[in-house]
Amino acid sequence: MSPTDGKGPRAQRKAARPMEILEAAFEEFSAQGYAATRVEDIARRVGVTKGTVYVYFESKEVLFGEMMRHLSTPLADTRAHIRSLEGPYPQRIEAFVRYVYQRLVADRKTRELLRLVVAEGARFPHLADRQDEEFMQPLCDAAGEMIREGVACGAFRPTPLAEIPELLISPALLRAVEHLMFDDRRSTDLEDFIAAHLELLWSALLPCEERTGTNGRTARPDA
Amino acid sequence: MSPTDGKGPRAQRKAARPMEILEAAFEEFSAQGYAATRVEDIARRVGVTKGTVYVYFESKEVLFGEMMRHLSTPLADTRAHIRSLEGPYPQRIEAFVRYVYQRLVADRKTRELLRLVVAEGARFPHLADRQDEEFMQPLCDAAGEMIREGVACGAFRPTPLAEIPELLISPALLRAVEHLMFDDRRSTDLEDFIAAHLELLWSALLPCEERTGTNGRTARPDA
DNA sequence: TAGAATTGACTGACCCTTTAGTCAATGAAA
DNA sequence: TTTCATTGACTAAAGGGTCAGTCAATTCTA
C-alpha cells in the first residue's frame, strides 16, 4: 500500500514532502556545493520555509546524506541491465558503451552525482565508496565479463581490456568531466565522439580481417 | 634583480609572504573547497593571523583567484614540452602518454586543480576556460598533430584518434578522477594500467602485422 | 658606534552579516 | 472542536573583513 492511498490532500502533501525536499536539495547542492548551499534556498525552491525542512530532516548534513542516497538508488539496477544485453558480441559492446554514455553524459543526475563525489568526497568519504560499489564496479565487472566471454568464444581477440575494463568506459568519463567543466559551452558532436570511441574498441577487439571501419552500427541511432 | 637581493630579513620575509599564503591557500581550498575554507585556517597554516592575509590579498575571492592563477602557470609550457619529443612515432606516443599520467595522476597539484575546477567551476566559469586553454587544448592539439604526422609518414594506420585525441588521454583522466575520489584507498597498479592503455593504442595505431603485443617498451621505466 | 627616531609588517579585538537550528503561534483540514 | 503541518521570528555561532595599536627592524644623528 502506497503512502498516498486513501488519504486526504493534507496527508498526501505530507507524504510527498520528503521527496520534494530531496529533489530541491539536489538542485541546490549540485549547483552550489554543500557549504555554499543555504537550507533556506532549498526550502524556497520547494515553496516552504526553513522550519519545514527541519520537520523532515534533522540537520543539513543528514539532508545531504539522504539526498546522496536518494541519487544513488537508481544506480542499483546497473548490473542487471547490463547482463540483459543480447545478440552478437560487438553489438552487445556497442549497446553497453551507449548505455554508459546515457548514464554518465546524458543523464544529468548521474553526472551531478559525479561532481558532488569529487567535490565533497574529501569530507564525506563514504560517498565515493558507495558510488563506486553501486555504479563503477558493477559497470566494470560486467564489461570485463562480457569481453572475456567474447574472447572465450572466439568473437574477440585476447586483449588487456578484459582485465582492465575501465579503459573501455574512460572516454565516456572524459565527456562527463568536460560536461561538468563547461556545461554546454564546449560541446563537440557526441555521436562523432562515440563513433570514434567504438572504432578504437573494434581495432582492439576484432581480428584484423574483420575491421572494416564500420563495424557494429556507427550510424546515428534511429528507431 | 630578484626581490630578495640585498635586503634585510624584514624585506625578505615580506617578499616571501604572498607565495607562502598562496601555497597555504592551495592546501586549504583543495582540501575543503572554497566556501568551507576559512581565511583564518589559511593564515594559521602560514603562521600568521587573518589580518596579515588581508594585507596581501584584498578578499577571500581574490585570494582564490590568484591561487588558481598561480596553480595554472606551470601548465603553460605543456605545448613546448610535447613538441620537443623525438624518436620513432610509437616511442613518441608512449613518452606523451607517460607525460600525461605524470601530470594528471602523479602530480598532486595538477590533480587538485582538476578537483577545484570541477567543484567550483559552476561559480567561477573562467577557471574551466583557463584550465582548458592552458592544458587540455594544447595537450590534445599536440597529440592530434603527432598522430596525423605519424599517419602521413606511414608509421600509423589512419585512425579516428587523429581527429579526436581526447580518446588518447581519457584513461589517464579516469585514473586522475579515481585518485580524487579514493585518494589512495583503491590503487591498482599504475604500470599495469599504462601498459594496457598503450596496448590498446597500438592496436589502433599500428598495422596488424606489427602488433606483437609488446610494442614500444611496456616494461617498467628504467634509466 | 651608541642611542634616538621612524617605519611598517603584523596583530587581535571588534563589527556585522549570514545562516544553522528552535519553537510558540497559526490556521486550514479532519 | 481538535489536530498538526507550517510558519516566521528568534538565538547563537561562525566567519569575512577592518583598523588602531604594537614592537622589532631599520634609518638617522651625534
Side-chain angles (χ1 to χ4, degrees), chain B residues 12 23 28 48 50 84 94 99 102 130 159 180 217:
Chain B
Q12 277 183 35
E23 292 291 331
E28 294 295 327
V48 297
K50 197 168 46 155
S84 74
E94 176 163 350
Y99 173 78
Q102 187 58 40
R130 189 163 64 215
T159 163
L180 288 178
R217 41 179 248 279

Side-chain angles (χ1 to χ4, degrees), chain A residues 129 157 185-186 208 211, chain B residues 129 132 157 185 208 211:
Chain A
D129 292 329
R157 298 191 297 122
R185 279 173 290 154
R186 287 267 202 309
C208 297
R211 293 184 330 202
Chain B
D129 291 329
D132 189 60
R157 300 191 293 121
R185 279 173 288 154
C208 298
R211 294 184 329 201

Side-chain angles (χ1 to χ4, degrees), chain A residues 32 36 115 118-119 123 128-129 132 157 160 164 170-171 173-174 181-182 185-186 193 199-200 203-204 208 211, chain B residues 32 36 115 118-119 123 128-129 132 157 160 164 170-171 173-174 181-182 185-186 199-200 203-204 208 211:
Chain A
Q32 323 289 336
R115 163 177 277 141
V118 169
R123 253 164 318 153
D129 292 329
D132 190 60
R157 298 191 297 122
I164 308 195
S170 65
L173 185 77
L174 180 134
M181 286 173 64
F182 304 116
R185 279 173 290 154
R186 287 267 202 309
F193 189 90
E199 193 84 4
L200 181 65
S203 64
C208 297
R211 293 184 330 202
Chain B
Q32 323 289 336
R115 163 176 275 140
V118 169
R123 252 163 320 154
D129 291 329
D132 189 60
R157 300 191 293 121
I164 309 197
S170 65
L173 185 77
L174 180 134
M181 286 174 64
F182 304 118
R185 279 173 288 154
R186 289 266 203 309
E199 193 84 6
L200 181 65
S203 63
C208 298
R211 294 184 329 201

Side-chain angles (χ1 to χ4, degrees), chain B residues 121-137:
Chain B
R123 252 163 320 154
F124 302 94
H126 61 284
L127 294 186
D129 291 329
R130 189 163 64 215
Q131 147 86 11
D132 189 60
E133 231 167 72
E134 296 185 357
F135 186 61
M136 224 55 177
Q137 280 306 328

Side-chain angles (χ1 to χ4, degrees), chain A residues 196 200, chain B residues 143-144 147-148 158-168 200-201 204-205:
Chain A
L200 181 65
Chain B
I147 294 173
R148 284 191 296 277
T159 163
L161 282 173
E163 305 313 319
I164 309 197
E166 288 94 334
L167 287 171
L168 199 143
L200 181 65
L201 293 179
L205 291 171

